[in-house]
Amino acid sequence: MILSVNNIEVIYNYVILVLKGISLQIKEESVTALLGSNGAGKSTTLKAISGLLGPENGEVTHGDIQFMGQRIDKKPPEDIVRMGIFQVMEGRRVFEDLTVHENLRAGSYVRHRDRAWVKQGMEMIYGYFPTLVPRKNKLAGYLSGGEQQMLVIGRALMSKPRLLLLDEPSLGLAPIVVKTIFDIIKTISREERVSVLLVEQNAQQALLIADYAYIMENGKIVLDGPS
């Protein structure tokens, strides 16, 4: 297993219990879906893994999270990124005043000394997302929603992650764009040997590309099994 979340509890503002003994495991080079309604705790689970609870005054108060055999739930987010975990946040958070190419270079920050990888990574991203090629010098803020989603996934891949956390990649996109992006996610996982944990409300589409799935309800896992 590349990731093990072991019976964690997450509390916000010292009093609000959001996750109530969550456990899940992610196999290497797999796509795992985390499904559930709004408020079930899906995004909080991703933030617990990526170390992004702190800015929202949340913390893991029980249990532990292991990545490639190392405990990470007490590590700062920048160290977790360097270890190989990258979270793509909900809402297509591009750097609007930077070009597409500059956004991608920003994603390679943790690999910036590896110039060979930066060049190779750019070619890889433009290969997976050819729509971005004629827009590489265009400001990211002027891209369509689908193009922005492609860009943030590409930016994440520039960090050369072992585990990619995707939070609602289909949100606000047309069905044909959603299918394209989900197909590319599956291809990337297989070809680049990247594990993916996918939080998604479009359960049908998520299950089409996932190998395994967990269902959350009220801060707990209530069902899991092969997709």
Side-chain angles (χ1 to χ4, degrees):
M1 295 295 172
I2 193 170
L3 181 83
S4 294
V5 177
N6 305 306
N7 197 32
I8 65 166
E9 292 184 353
V10 168
I11 290 180
Y12 282 104
N13 299 315
Y14 306 104
V15 293
I16 304 171
L17 180 62
V18 178
L19 299 186
K20 309 164 186 176
I22 291 290
S23 295
L24 56 85
Q25 294 185 320
I26 309 297
K27 291 182 179 180
E28 291 201 48
E29 302 173 33
S30 68
V31 177
T32 301
L34 183 58
L35 310 174
S37 61
N38 278 336
K42 306 184 301 298
S43 294
T44 295
T45 302
L46 293 192
K47 290 174 184 175
I49 296 168
S50 62
L52 295 177
L53 289 173
E56 298 180 353
N57 206 19
E59 62 175 329
V60 176
T61 57
H62 187 273
D64 64 82
I65 303 172
Q66 303 276 339
F67 177 65
M68 298 177 64
Q70 295 187 57
R71 185 171 180 176
I72 62 172
D73 50 281
K74 302 299 182 184
K75 291 183 177 291
E78 60 270 24
D79 289 349
I80 293 174
V81 170
R82 291 188 181 99
M83 291 177 70
I85 299 177
F86 199 108
Q87 180 174 350
V88 177
M89 304 289 284
E90 178 184 343
R92 302 188 290 274
R93 302 187 188 186
V94 299
F95 299 124
E96 295 184 356
D97 294 328
L98 298 182
T99 66
V100 167
H101 201 72
E102 289 167 342
N103 267 268
L104 293 177
R105 284 195 64 86
S108 70
Y109 177 76
V110 295
R111 308 287 177 187
H112 67 284
R113 294 180 181 174
D114 186 352
R115 294 185 178 181
W117 161 250
V118 173
K119 181 179 178 181
Q120 178 187 341
M122 289 287 189
E123 293 174 353
M124 175 189 72
I125 301 308
Y126 289 132
Y128 283 125
F129 302 111
T131 303
L132 298 179
V133 175
R135 294 162 176 77
K136 64 172 63 176
N137 295 316
K138 186 175 182 179
L139 293 181
Y142 291 103
L143 299 181
S144 68
E147 291 165 349
Q148 288 185 344
Q149 189 63 62
M150 294 175 188
L151 179 57
V152 294
I153 293 173
R155 188 176 64 197
L157 290 172
M158 286 298 295
S159 71
K160 208 172 185 180
R162 295 290 304 276
L163 174 62
L164 191 59
L165 310 176
L166 297 176
D167 195 352
E168 302 284 3
S170 74
L171 189 66
L173 301 182
I176 190 169
V177 178
V178 171
K179 184 181 184 307
T180 298
I181 288 176
F182 274 56
D183 287 345
I184 292 172
I185 290 169
K186 184 66 174 180
T187 301
I188 288 170
S189 175
R190 182 179 66 249
E191 294 184 353
E192 304 304 325
R193 306 178 70 179
V194 177
S195 302
V196 177
L197 178 55
L198 170 66
V199 161
E200 183 56 60
Q201 287 200 56
N202 187 338
Q204 183 176 9
Q205 189 67 54
L207 291 172
L208 285 174
I209 69 165
D211 304 295
Y212 200 86
Y214 292 86
I215 312 296
M216 289 192 71
E217 185 177 293
N218 297 323
K220 296 180 181 180
I221 300 290
V222 296
L223 184 67
D224 68 279
S227 296

